[in-house]
Amino acid sequence: MAKIRLENVSKVYKGGVKAVNGASLEIKDKEFVVFVGPSGCGKSTTLRMIAGLEDITSGNLFIGERYVNDLEPKDRNIAMVFQNYALYPHMTVYENMAYSLRCHHEKKEVIESKVNRAAEILGIKDLLKRTPRELSGGQRQRVALGRAIVREPDVFLFDEPLSNLDAKLRIQMRAEISKLHKDVGTTFVYVTHDQTEAMTMGDRIVVMKDGYIQQIDTPMNLYEHPVNIFVATFLGSPQMNILEGNIEKEKDGKYFVSPGSDLRIKIPDIDLCQVEESAYPLKACLGIRPADIRIGEEGFPTVVELVERLGEQTLVYFHLPGRKDYTIASLGPSCRLLEKDPIKVSFNAEKLHLFNRETEQSLTNAVPLIKRPLSDLSPKQVDELAKRLAVKGVVPASYAFLSSDVKEEKMIDGIEIAAVVEGSKEYEDGWNYFARSKDGSVISFRSAKKIEKGAATTLYVPLSKVDLVAAEGERLTDETDVEEEVYEASLSFRPRGCFLKEETLHNHEKAYKVERSIPLGKKTVLRLLGSEKSERLIYLVESNDLIYDSMMVYMRKRIK
Ligand code: ADP
């Protein structure tokens, strides 16, 4: 059993394909995490880096507490199940499952008990004497799972294991793998391009696109609170409808309008409380899932173009302004609408999704990073933070923290901000609140407690979780106090390794290991540890994607 931690992990293949960019994620012990995304988004590469089948170009990987970047796959205690299960055709099911244990010279009784237990879990006890030729596709996949189970790995890795099976069998195996996860109680990491598999199997889902992680959350939180248009339209079938238009401010509130048409949709105040008032009119997209569209007495008039009756569900297709494609509504089986029927369409106001049309990011979710004026802080707090300044000589313009670090419990030394709760959005594990502070800006925070709208609250942020930020938005502080001298240097990456060049001579060793690298925008702080005398040095270098923790740096002193 083990947790897995990826810190800023990237992969560049030979030829320059950047398959994974700065993936950071912690998978909990015994968690079932599914990576999902379109073909080529970097899911398999991420899984193969966890397995050790692919080198990590930069970043750190931990399994349990162990740093495993350089560890051979066989020493990681993981088991991998692929779509091609590659059973040995001449061996029986029993022998196929026992094979790896025999290779490890396990005792006969141990092998027998482990294979029998795995066969029991998978319901294939009566197949043990058959050869793979005598099995169906689903049974073969079960044997492949059995082969993984007998090894009692810390982590199971699955790479599209069901994509060779037919639709009915996939549904059955999906349920079996979920059950297997409960039975063996081990960490599962599962890769698929199939959103239904992801939604039904994962405790949490990691959505990827073009090598970047887009969002990590529980299936329901992803479905109800997608962070951008990509996640919104990737999960859910039929897809979320996306309409283009503007958000305009009027006397009685804010409206989504589609220019050149009569479509006007009132937006609940809470949805936009983090958008600055000066931003209107705002180029936006409105998202609405098919099930959240109502067809009734009131609403925008249009005409039914097409009706699909799927039994439980009736899909009604029509046109709305702001969308070239059909808009689709999902209604119940009793829907009697026919093509060409005139209809009136309205949206469930609580289920509207709004996105910035240019960035495609959600306007209704919490802003993860909150920036605030230095005037919130006491002089003592400013002094405390200044001790952690890693980039000297730049004057901080503001301070910043993550909304996940905002607490309601009073804390000594924490930053204190008085605010009034303006609204909330419900999540699977609590509420996300939007509160306005005295200066008019909005702070979002998550809480498991129900807080009424209009309630005054005091929010706290631990000083240790706060960073000073420059006017251009660069982070200026390190996590711990920087008492040592910080030297400026430049790095050069050569085939023989990474070399560090600096102006002044210090009392150096030949080689240092990067204990930690802290990217601060254009500059990166390197905390170095000498490989012979354990001398510690801190350097400030130009940021570079090739820098990673634990890399070796060789000194190239300038000879004067
Ligand atoms: P996914 O599993 O999401 O389909 P992959 O991780 O397999 O995506 O691939 C991510 C990107 O890396 C793709 O652009 C793919 O073409 C590229 N890629 C994968 N494997 C290799 C390789 N061995 N050499 C070069 N490029 C690769």
Side-chain angles (χ1 to χ4, degrees), residues 13-14 17-19 37-46 54 159 191:
Y13 281 110
K14 278 200 194 95
V17 177
K18 208 158 184 200
S39 176
C41 70
K43 329 177 274 293
S44 302
T45 303
T46 309
E54 217 54 85
D159 194 356
V191 161

